[in-house]
Amino acid sequence: MKKESENRWELVMNKMIDSKQWERKTPDQQKNERLKFEIAQELGLLDKVEHLGWKGLTARETGRIGGLMNQKKKEKRNGE
């Protein structure tokens, strides 16, 4: 059961993103997109994103996602 909830962001992402759009993205853009959905799930915002789209989030929520994305990228670069 836990595995299913961990991968829920992948299901939502696949539902929201058109495969043709996905193929046009660079590998870095695809990584960022995956990370964005993963963080939205961690923050409990995935349901809101699924129902309203990214435009349905507040500035504070999108800023939090962006901040955590940068933090995780920085940790990965520094090998932490």
Side-chain angles (χ1 to χ4, degrees):
M1 182 77 173
K2 186 176 181 183
K3 180 76 171 167
E4 186 177 309
S5 67
E6 287 177 1
N7 294 329
R8 184 166 179 280
W9 65 268
E10 290 176 324
L11 298 172
V12 173
M13 182 181 73
N14 290 334
K15 186 170 101 174
M16 290 182 66
I17 296 177
D18 179 33
S19 62
K20 290 181 183 178
Q21 283 180 323
W22 185 255
E23 291 170 2
R24 287 192 302 256
K25 292 180 184 281
T26 66
D28 281 342
Q29 290 173 325
Q30 291 176 356
K31 259 194 277 188
N32 285 340
E33 199 73 20
R34 284 187 197 100
L35 184 58
K36 183 168 65 170
F37 277 93
E38 187 178 335
I39 291 172
Q41 180 176 342
E42 289 174 11
L43 295 175
L45 298 171
L46 194 58
D47 287 333
K48 190 173 183 180
V49 170
E50 184 177 14
H51 295 291
L52 302 174
W54 293 108
K55 290 183 178 183
L57 298 180
T58 66
R60 177 174 281 197
E61 291 166 339
T62 56
R64 185 72 178 135
I65 290 171
L68 288 172
M69 285 177 68
N70 284 328
Q71 183 180 3
K72 286 188 178 208
K73 287 180 193 178
K74 186 177 179 180
E75 287 173 357
K76 189 174 181 179
R77 276 194 310 264
N78 293 334
E80 295 175 7

